[in-house]
Amino acid sequence: MKTKSLKINTVLNVIKQLCSVLFPLITIPYVTRILQATNYGKVNFGSSIVSYFTLIAAFGITNYSIREGGQIRNDKEKFAKFANEIFTINLLSTCIAYSGLILVLFISPKIRSYSILILIQSITIILSTLGANWINTIFEDYLFITLRYIVMQVVSLVLLFLFVHTPDDYIIYAVINIIATAGGNLLNTPYIRKYVRLKLTFRDLKKHLVPLVLLFFNEVAFTIYVNSDITILGFLCTDKEVGIYSLSVKIYTVIKTIINSIVVVSMPRMASMLGNDCVDEYRKLCRKVFMATLTILIPAIIGMISLSDKILYVVAGREYVVGKESFCILSLTLFFSVGVAFYGNCILIINRLEKICLKAACFSALLNIVLNFILIPFIGYNGAALTTLLSEAVTAIIYMKYSKQFVNNIVDKKDLLSILVGGIFIFIICGVIAYMKMNTYLSIVLSILFSGIVYFTIQVALRNKIVVDFLQSFKR
């Protein structure tokens, strides 16, 4: 198989994630105003419940298949056998997920009151299983992933403006969300036949179960400390408060996903390198990916904090600006959450240390739940944001400690200095423009424009290797 360009794949994945910013920038201001905070909160509460059962259906398959499948992707016979076994396990776990969801709907009166909404949102579970996106990722087929995503986003955008006009249309909005997030899986089902024709098989499944169970419980614990804030907030506070906090979480998640796209796109290549005993190349790529991530992450955090109230106002309106403090806390959380993604996916899981990931995630999940029940009754959604920050920080520190045995001296001090200098200038520029008391929209545009130009110029002047390498590749 011809090796695809990692830089091109990274650009494609970043384009996909940028679209995941562009479309919400168009839809969220419309949706939050039409549905209002209460119904917007209902949709997000339903999503938080469905996310747990989506996790059961996923069963740790994505990371496991990338790690194991990436090493045998050039052997068609071995890969076909592996893919069929994983697909069969995925279908079985999906059946278990739906059984659990139906049981919870019967048991919990609070969740049962959202039953129609939750059942509709759960369609994403079966669509994700049938789509088998992990196959595209193993073969680094980011062109189709990106094009498919953009098409479905455009379709959902048109449907949104056609059919969502009143607060009571939140169910319709939930259906359109399914099309936006999982509709592309219907296109993927026939497409992946170019790589493998999936079929059920019940032979040799046991050998996959132990690593899958470890990765599954790792992701369960991770999801608990990421999503439990909205779930607990939904039980302890009003739908309006959930709506206000959910907006901050959504923006935070979008930015995190964009930055993590650098990590995600590198995983199959790293797995292939280790599978072929190219350890030095693997370590070199790890360092490069980490510094590329920092180059984008630091200015993003500083910009989000500096423009927090303006971002919330432009995206959703004055009603949501009261969530400024939680938004700033979540912005700081980005530093640790991106670190968790890098150290976990690129080092620990690829090097088969999922047990360490599981222990760290379980501890952080327990910490998150306890702190949520302590802090939310006193400081509401700010408490939820603070617990997320602390949980991500604890996990990042543990991951970093155990990763040193595989990749050490991962930070380039010279490049880090250029990033920090650029970050300081971003803070100054945003502060000066804010002091001028100009129109909110104009203030954001000018802040981003001048900050971007100055930051980029500083990186070139101080010879940040990531930026210089990107410029040279762009010229070629």
Side-chain angles (χ1 to χ4, degrees):
M1 184 190 74
K2 183 180 178 181
T3 302
K4 296 179 172 66
S5 168
L6 189 59
K7 291 177 183 177
I8 292 176
N9 281 340
T10 302
V11 171
L12 285 171
N13 206 27
V14 169
I15 289 173
K16 175 179 175 289
Q17 304 309 335
L18 285 175
C19 289
S20 73
V21 175
L22 177 62
F23 287 107
L25 282 177
I26 299 171
T27 60
I28 290 177
Y30 179 78
V31 170
T32 50
R33 287 170 173 84
I34 294 295
L35 298 185
Q36 300 175 2
T38 299
N39 286 338
Y40 185 65
K42 289 179 181 178
V43 173
N44 283 280
F45 178 71
S47 294
S48 74
I49 298 298
V50 171
S51 68
Y52 297 109
F53 297 95
T54 301
L55 190 64
I56 294 173
F59 197 53
I61 282 169
T62 298
N63 283 335
Y64 177 73
S65 61
I66 291 172
R67 185 183 73 189
E68 303 297 329
Q71 297 182 17
I72 59 172
R73 63 186 182 182
N74 294 328
D75 188 322
K76 289 186 177 181
E77 187 176 337
K78 282 185 179 179
F79 182 79
K81 183 176 182 295
F82 171 80
N84 289 329
E85 291 165 358
I86 297 301
F87 180 66
T88 301
I89 292 173
N90 203 179
L91 280 177
L92 294 173
S93 63
T94 299
C95 293
I96 294 172
Y98 273 107
S99 300
L101 178 59
I102 292 170
L103 181 63
V104 168
L105 288 175
F106 276 109
I107 292 174
S108 172
K110 168 74 174 179
I111 296 177
R112 189 163 60 246
S113 64
Y114 294 84
S115 58
I116 295 176
L117 175 63
I118 289 173
L119 286 172
I120 289 172
Q121 290 174 315
S122 72
I123 294 173
T124 57
I125 297 175
I126 186 62
L127 289 179
S128 297
T129 299
L130 296 176
N133 282 310
W134 44 272
I135 294 177
N136 302 72
T137 306
I138 288 171
F139 287 96
E140 303 181 53
D141 192 351
Y142 291 98
L143 178 60
F144 181 75
I145 292 174
T146 303
L147 291 176
R148 186 191 69 196
Y149 179 82
I150 293 173
V151 168
M152 299 313 297
Q153 289 294 313
V154 171
V155 170
S156 63
L157 185 64
V158 173
L159 293 175
L160 178 70
F161 291 121
L162 285 177
F163 297 106
V164 178
H165 302 293
T166 70
D168 294 331
D169 291 334
Y170 68 94
I171 296 287
I172 298 174
Y173 171 62
V175 174
I176 294 171
N177 257 349
I178 293 170
I179 296 171
T181 57
N185 289 299
L186 293 174
L187 301 176
N188 208 48
T189 302
Y191 178 80
I192 56 176
R193 291 177 183 174
K194 65 183 289 187
Y195 299 115
V196 63
R197 290 184 175 271
L198 294 174
K199 59 184 179 181
L200 295 179
T201 178
F202 295 94
R203 298 178 59 184
D204 299 324
L205 300 184
K206 290 183 180 180
K207 64 183 179 183
H208 302 295
L209 292 182
V210 172
L212 279 173
V213 166
L214 288 173
L215 287 171
F216 166 68
F217 280 111
N218 176 50
E219 291 181 9
V220 167
F222 179 77
T223 300
I224 287 173
Y225 83 71
V226 169
N227 287 351
S228 63
D229 48 1
I230 291 180
T231 305
I232 296 173
L233 197 65
F235 279 103
L236 299 181
C237 301
T238 64
D239 286 333
K240 182 175 181 179
E241 288 175 288
V242 174
I244 291 170
Y245 180 65
S246 295
L247 176 69
S248 295
V249 172
K250 191 175 287 288
I251 298 172
Y252 155 80
T253 303
V254 166
I255 301 302
K256 180 174 72 172
T257 304
I258 290 173
I259 298 172
N260 281 345
S261 64
I262 302 173
V263 173
V264 172
V265 80
S266 304
M267 282 184 65
R269 187 66 55 86
M270 289 179 177
S272 181
M273 286 177 175
L274 286 180
N276 292 293
D277 294 323
C278 301
V279 178
D280 289 338
E281 289 85 348
Y282 162 73
R283 289 173 177 166
K284 184 178 178 181
L285 181 57
C286 278
R287 295 186 182 99
K288 189 172 184 179
V289 168
F290 185 78
M291 290 311 301
T293 302
L294 278 186
T295 301
I296 300 174
L297 176 63
I298 300 301
I301 293 173
I302 295 172
M304 289 171 68
I305 293 174
S306 301
L307 302 172
S308 55
D309 54 340
K310 296 179 178 64
I311 292 172
L312 293 173
Y313 175 77
V314 169
V315 171
R318 195 172 300 280
E319 183 181 16
Y320 293 83
V321 175
V322 292
K324 173 185 175 181
E325 289 81 10
S326 62
F327 182 75
C328 289
I329 295 171
L330 290 174
S331 299
L332 285 174
T333 306
L334 276 173
F335 182 79
F336 299 106
S337 63
V338 172
V340 168
F342 171 79
Y343 285 108
N345 292 316
C346 294
I347 300 180
L348 296 180
I349 289 177
I350 281 186
N351 285 281
R352 304 179 189 280
L353 283 185
E354 51 265 27
K355 287 184 180 179
I356 299 297
C357 296
L358 176 59
K359 290 177 182 178
C362 286
F363 177 77
S364 296
L366 180 61
L367 176 68
N368 187 278
I369 292 172
V370 171
L371 289 177
N372 269 324
F373 279 110
I374 293 173
L375 295 178
I376 288 177
F378 292 99
I379 53 178
Y381 41 70
N382 289 334
L386 187 58
T387 59
T388 301
L389 171 62
L390 294 173
S391 300
E392 293 280 20
V394 168
T395 308
I397 291 169
I398 296 172
Y399 279 18
M400 186 169 57
K401 176 185 175 183
Y402 285 95
S403 295
K404 288 182 179 179
Q405 60 182 301
F406 299 103
V407 183
N408 207 355
N409 299 321
I410 205 164
V411 176
D412 186 308
K413 294 180 181 179
K414 182 175 176 294
D415 287 350
L416 179 61
L417 177 63
S418 70
I419 294 168
L420 293 176
V421 170
I424 292 171
F425 274 90
I426 289 175
F427 182 76
I428 293 171
I429 290 168
C430 291
V432 170
I433 293 176
Y435 182 76
M436 295 178 180
K437 305 291 183 183
M438 61 181 67
N439 175 274
T440 301
Y441 293 88
L442 181 60
S443 177
I444 289 180
V445 171
L446 291 178
S447 296
I448 294 174
L449 180 63
F450 285 115
S451 295
I453 292 172
V454 171
Y455 181 78
F456 182 76
T457 303
I458 290 172
Q459 301 315 300
V460 174
L462 297 181
R463 307 299 294 174
N464 181 315
K465 295 183 186 68
I466 300 299
V467 176
V468 171
D469 183 51
F470 176 80
L471 278 176
Q472 292 173 347
S473 298
F474 184 76
K475 288 177 182 178
R476 288 196 298 268

